[in-house]
């Protein structure tokens, strides 16, 4: 019996699409190596887990999971606006900040005409969503010291540049741009170009006033900021993010957004997370103390850590990075090799609880024979 020939026509962009490459899961490594305990320091998740306040709210609201959330999420958007000190007309909530990225490309970019600019390496979703929308994706290499190539991004932009994405602090380097430099980039871009600054890791910087454009948005009509609840707020599994946008752009985004893309439990969790200042501050304390500890220990092991303003550290081990990564896996420690970022000699480790950080250092010492 012959196999039927499909008559479905698939766009070329979809045929060549490369899926997102996530970090390895704890269960996967337990099964592979027969381990009882595995520590995951690969995905930049919150070291403290989920806020107790959020857990109570989720338990109390679970019975409402059969209901649709209120269209447009007015309560959630108002809570976000109040937390950031901006007009609610600027706020768009999304199914992770990934949805905001996708909407920006769809709303602003004309397929076959416009292009998107970003650094290399960068968050893969910028390029993937441009590709699936038929929009050219252009990149500029990071500077030799891993700082963001803001000047060269401005030089590369032209009248067909619809979007420029900048991640600050950057992933995987942990480098944060200064607000003055980001503002200079925004002012140097063509009039129709939107600068989207992805601030997924902004909470972990030493001085947010020197790193975020949030206080300057009123004078920068071509700037959007992206934030996530996956890191500092511990809600990675619920998928919740937001965009702080020019009001007229936010209005259009809200109109074209797929209805109910933020589920009811994520909405309630987000509102609760914004109210739990104790958990938030403890997350920042644990992360900063753990970051300082890891920087010191990695340097002592000759691993050349890159100074970081985020909740992870990129480092260059004195031995082959792939072998070090696999040696850590066998000892139940998951970190992130950076070959997929074009940095085959480097590894990224998330900051965990202190006991997790110490277990990582101990395992790394064994692997390196130090």
């Amino acid at each position: 019996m012959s196999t039927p020939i499909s008559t479905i026509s698939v766009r070329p962009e979809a045929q060549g699409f490369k899926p997102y490459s996530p970090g390895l899961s704890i269960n996967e490594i337990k099964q592979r190596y027969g381990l009882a305990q595995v520590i995951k320091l690969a995905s930049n998740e919150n070291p403290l887990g989920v806020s107790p306040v959020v857990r109570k709210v989720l338990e109390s609201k679970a019975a409402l999971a059969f209901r649709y959330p209120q269209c447009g999420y007015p309560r959630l958007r108002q809570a976000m606006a109040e937390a950031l000190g901006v007009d609610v007309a600027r706020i768009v909530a999304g199914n992770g900040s990934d949805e905001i990225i996708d909407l920006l490309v769809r709303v602003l970019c004309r397929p076959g005409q416009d292009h998107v600019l970003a650094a290399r390496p960068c968050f893969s979703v910028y390029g993937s969503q441009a590709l699936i929308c038929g929009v050219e994706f252009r990149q500029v290499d990071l500077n030799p010291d891993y700082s963001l190539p803001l000047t060269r991004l401005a030089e590369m932009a032209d009248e067909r540049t619809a979007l420029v994405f900048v991640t600050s602090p950057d992933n995987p380097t942990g480098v944060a741009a200064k607000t003055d430099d980001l503002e200079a980039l925004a002012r140097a871009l063509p009039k129709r170009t939107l600068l989207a600054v992805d601030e997924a890791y902004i909470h972990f910087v030493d001085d947010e006033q020197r790193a975020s454009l949030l206080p300057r948005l009123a004078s920068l009509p071509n700037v959007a900021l992206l934030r996530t609840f996956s890191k500092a707020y511990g809600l990675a599994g619920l998928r919740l993010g937001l965009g702080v946008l020019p009001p007229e752009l936010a209005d259009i985004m809200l109109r074209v957004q797929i209805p109910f893309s933020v589920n009811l439990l994520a909405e309630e969790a987000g509102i609760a997370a914004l109210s739990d200042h104790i958990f938030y501050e403890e997350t920042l304390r644990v992360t900063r103390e753990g970051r300082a500890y890891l920087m010191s220990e990695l340097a002592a092991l000759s691993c050349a850590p890159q100074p970081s303003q985020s909740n992870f550290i990129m480092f260059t081990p004195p031995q082959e990075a792939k072998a070090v990564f696999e040696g850590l896996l066998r000892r139940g420690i998951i970190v992130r090799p950076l070959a997929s970022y074009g940095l085959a000699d480097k590894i990224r480790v998330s900051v965990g609880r202190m006991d997790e950080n110490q277990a990582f250092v101990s395992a790394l010492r064994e692997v390196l024979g130090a």
Side-chain angles (χ1 to χ4, degrees):
M1 184 176 178
S2 62
T3 302
I5 300 174
S6 174
T7 58
I8 297 173
S9 177
V10 177
R11 289 171 51 197
E13 296 90 346
Q15 290 177 339
F17 201 81
K18 294 181 180 179
Y20 176 74
S21 177
L24 298 170
S25 71
I26 290 175
N27 287 336
E28 184 179 354
I29 298 308
K30 282 183 176 179
Q31 293 173 4
R32 182 185 300 182
Y33 295 105
L35 298 169
Q37 181 178 355
V38 170
I39 295 172
K40 184 183 179 186
L41 299 174
S43 299
N44 308 332
E45 295 154 335
N46 191 303
L48 301 182
V50 180
S51 150
V53 172
V54 170
R55 286 202 301 268
K56 288 181 180 178
V57 167
L58 288 174
E59 290 169 2
S60 69
K61 300 294 183 180
L64 295 176
F66 74 103
R67 295 289 188 194
Y68 288 107
Q70 187 176 359
C71 194
Y73 330 110
R75 291 174 53 245
L76 175 62
R77 291 175 54 236
Q78 185 62 45
M80 291 172 167
E82 291 175 1
L84 295 173
V86 299
D87 190 330
V88 70
R90 285 184 173 273
I91 298 292
V92 175
N95 187 259
S97 55
D98 294 4
E99 185 187 10
I100 309 300
I101 293 167
D102 179 65
L103 282 170
L104 286 173
V105 175
R106 293 178 184 277
V107 167
L108 295 175
C109 301
R110 298 170 296 181
Q113 298 183 56
D114 296 329
H115 60 260
V116 172
L117 273 180
R120 182 190 295 111
C122 68
F123 185 33
S124 62
V125 171
Y126 308 150
S128 66
Q129 299 318 108
L131 174 64
I132 200 64
C133 290
V135 175
E136 183 184 0
F137 184 60
R138 299 179 182 178
Q139 291 181 274
V140 178
D141 289 334
L142 294 174
N143 295 325
D145 63 353
Y146 300 112
S147 61
L148 291 158
L150 304 184
T151 300
R152 285 184 290 139
L153 285 170
E155 293 169 350
M156 283 278 291
D158 59 35
E159 295 302 323
R160 293 295 178 90
T161 308
L163 261 173
V164 176
F165 282 109
V166 171
T167 311
S168 181
D170 189 37
N171 180 17
T173 68
V175 174
K178 294 179 180 178
T179 50
D180 288 346
D181 296 334
L182 290 168
E183 180 175 346
L185 171 59
R187 296 191 184 283
L189 293 174
K191 187 176 180 180
R192 70 171 293 251
T193 304
L194 182 79
L195 172 61
V197 184
D198 191 337
E199 295 187 337
Y201 302 98
I202 197 68
H203 308 91
F204 305 107
V205 300
D206 292 331
D207 185 355
E208 190 170 333
Q209 291 296 314
R210 296 186 63 213
S212 176
L213 285 178
L214 185 64
R216 307 188 188 191
L217 285 184
S219 64
L220 296 171
N222 65 329
V223 171
L225 304 181
L226 311 178
R227 295 204 175 186
T228 180
F229 282 67
S230 296
K231 315 301 179 186
Y233 294 107
L235 299 182
L238 282 177
R239 313 307 304 127
L240 182 62
L242 67 100
V244 188
L245 313 174
E248 62 277 11
L249 177 58
D251 176 63
I252 295 171
M253 298 264 281
L254 289 167
R255 283 188 270 144
V256 304
Q257 185 177 31
I258 294 174
F260 312 121
S261 62
V262 176
N263 71 72
L264 185 144
L265 293 181
E267 178 182 24
E268 296 295 345
I271 294 170
L274 290 171
S275 74
D276 191 351
H277 304 294
I278 294 175
F279 178 84
Y280 175 79
E281 292 298 332
E282 183 66 2
T283 293
L284 300 192
R285 184 192 68 79
V286 168
T287 299
R288 288 168 179 162
E289 289 183 1
R291 185 171 68 194
Y293 167 79
L294 288 175
M295 285 292 297
S296 175
E297 293 296 321
L298 286 168
L301 290 171
S302 302
C303 284
Q306 169 68 32
S308 173
Q309 288 288 289
S310 192
N311 65 339
F312 56 81
I313 296 171
M314 181 179 77
F315 66 95
T316 309
Q319 300 173 16
E320 183 190 30
K322 182 179 179 182
V324 172
F325 164 70
E326 292 174 349
L328 290 169
L329 280 185
R330 289 193 293 272
R331 290 164 175 80
I333 307 291
I334 309 175
V335 293
R336 187 67 183 256
L338 297 179
S340 63
Y341 287 81
L343 301 167
D345 63 333
K346 293 177 172 46
I347 290 172
R348 188 190 70 199
V349 58
S350 305
V351 179
R353 299 188 312 270
M354 190 54 74
D355 62 303
E356 294 174 324
N357 299 331
Q358 291 169 343
F360 159 71
V361 170
S362 177
L364 181 61
R365 188 177 289 115
E366 286 184 14
V367 171
L368 296 177

